[in-house]
Each structure stands twice: as C-alpha cells, then as structure tokens.
Amino acid sequence: MQFKLVIFDWDGTLMDSVPKIVNVLKLAAKQCDAAIPTDDAAKAIIGLSLPTAVAKLFPNDEDKWEALAQAYKTVYKEGDDTPTPLFTGANDLLDALAASQVQLAVATGKSRTGLNRLMAETSTEEYFVTTKTADEAQSKPNPDMLNQILAMTGVAAEDAIMIGDSLLDIEMAKQAGIAAVGLTHGAATRAALEKTQALTVLDSLTDLHTFLLAEQHIDVKTS
C-alpha cells in the first residue's frame, strides 16, 4: 500500500500543543465563571472548531459560549506561556517526505489565523500544498476538510492517508474513505486509538517516519 498524499492534523500530531490547549480551556472557564473541565474532557474536544468545542465542553453554559470562545482566543495568545514546540522528529519527517515528492497537507481544527501564525513561527508553510482549517470547512469528524483537500490535490481517497492523534481525526478519515494512522503522543490514548479502524497506531513521529518511508508506504516519484 503506497500513498501519494499525506494529510496531517496539527495540534497533538505535529505540534506538542495539547497541554497548552487544556490549560487555556481551564483558564478561559475560570475567567468566565464556568465549570472547569477535566483534562480528559478538554482533550476530547481538541480538533473540533472552537464554537463546536465550546458548546460540547460547556453544555450548561450556553449564555457564556461566545465569551468562552473569546476568552480562549485571548488567553491562548496572551495569557498562557506553555511552550508548544514541534514534536521530536517533525522536521526530519517533513524533510524526508518533501524529498520523496509526496504531496503534504494539513487538516486542523485550528482557525486560519492560528494555523498561519504557528506555521510561520515554525517555518513549516512551504512543506504543504494546501491546508484546511475549521473556519473553512465543517468541523471534524465531518469529512468536508479532507474532501476539499482531495479535490484540490486531485488525489483519490484510496491514495491518501490521514495522520492524527484524536478519535475525531480517525473518524473523519473513515468517513472520507481515507486510511489513517493514530499517534499516541497527543489527545487520545493508545487503548482508545486501537479500538478505531486506524491502519496502525504509533507512539512518535520517528515511528511514523519508519512506517511511511522505511516500510515504503510512500509512492516515491522519480524525475
């Protein structure tokens, strides 16, 4: 099985941002006098668009949803200094995939503004032929994001693979007819990911590097 297109989630997949997201959600809840979510509850909504995530995480605070979403945005940018580095092996993997000439894309629950800012900070923009965010498509696990990416790249679903750390990522890929790999270093546990229809579950981007390239799951183009 070889793939012509590799689609990455961002938070918890390429970037180690889950701890920050969880902390910011708690700070936003405290700021808005809403029930503070547990770590597990906060992790479970990572990948959803922000309005959908807020509604799901704070079902009894409908009158505060708008304020919670705004508080989240403000605190994420200005009120929390939790570092969000790329995971170990991210640059090596992206370099190797780019050298193979496979197409790369991103499908994320982040906003366009947020993704662009972080991609600029990490100098990763040029790796990807296209990126889709939550304000440009229906929220995960709806396959809209992936369907848009397939249409833009001209790649058939069976020739693409989705890389994600959440159950939402794996379900989105399933709905789009795309194979998926689950990564355990983000939002979901190995046990939860192994209950999905993921092609495989891996612990790191280094393991993913081996899976995609050393095990020849990439359709390498020759000039």
Side-chain angles (χ1 to χ4, degrees):
M1 186 180 294
Q2 290 190 322
F3 301 103
K4 300 176 181 178
L5 170 65
V6 181
I7 306 168
F8 289 94
D9 169 56
W10 187 265
D11 290 314
T13 296
L14 287 174
M15 178 167 275
D16 188 6
S17 46
V18 169
K20 175 165 183 153
I21 292 170
V22 169
N23 194 47
V24 171
L25 284 167
K26 290 183 174 185
L27 290 172
K30 184 176 181 179
Q31 190 176 108
C32 295
D33 196 27
I36 297 176
T38 65
D39 286 6
D40 287 345
K43 287 179 181 180
I45 57 83
I46 294 175
L48 294 172
S49 64
L50 184 56
T52 303
V54 167
K56 187 175 180 65
L57 194 57
F58 304 99
N60 299 319
D61 294 293
E62 185 172 357
D63 59 326
K64 299 176 181 177
W65 286 352
E66 187 174 343
L68 283 161
Q70 187 55 54
Y72 176 87
K73 293 177 185 178
T74 301
V75 174
Y76 192 99
K77 287 189 288 186
E78 303 171 4
D80 181 83
D81 59 2
T82 305
T84 57
L86 292 177
F87 280 108
T88 299
N91 288 118
D92 288 344
L93 173 61
L94 293 172
D95 283 340
L97 290 173
S100 77
Q101 299 183 58
V102 67
Q103 293 191 79
L104 303 179
V106 169
T108 177
K110 301 194 81 64
S111 68
R112 170 53 60 192
T113 299
L115 179 64
N116 284 355
R117 181 180 69 252
L118 292 172
M119 292 180 76
E121 289 176 2
T122 54
S123 301
T124 50
E125 312 103 303
E126 294 185 0
Y127 287 113
F128 304 103
V129 296
T130 188
T131 60
K132 289 296 174 183
T133 64
D135 42 14
E136 299 162 344
Q138 295 187 54
S139 185
K140 298 177 183 180
N142 188 290
D144 184 33
M145 245 184 257
L146 297 185
N147 290 335
Q148 289 189 43
I149 290 171
L150 294 176
M152 184 273 171
T153 58
V155 174
E158 59 266 27
D159 293 324
I161 188 166
M162 174 75 201
I163 313 298
D165 66 297
S166 75
L167 303 183
L168 292 169
D169 294 322
I170 309 305
E171 178 60 25
M172 178 176 65
K174 177 185 174 183
Q175 291 191 31
I178 293 176
V181 169
L183 291 174
T184 66
H185 61 200
T189 64
R190 169 174 281 278
L193 289 167
E194 286 180 341
K195 292 178 182 178
T196 69
Q197 294 184 1
L199 192 62
T200 188
V201 177
L202 304 171
D203 295 323
S204 69
L205 293 180
T206 301
D207 292 343
L208 180 62
H209 192 296
T210 299
F211 174 78
L212 290 176
L213 292 153
E215 297 180 18
Q216 299 182 332
H217 287 293
I218 290 299
D219 182 49
V220 179
K221 298 178 181 178
T222 56
S223 57

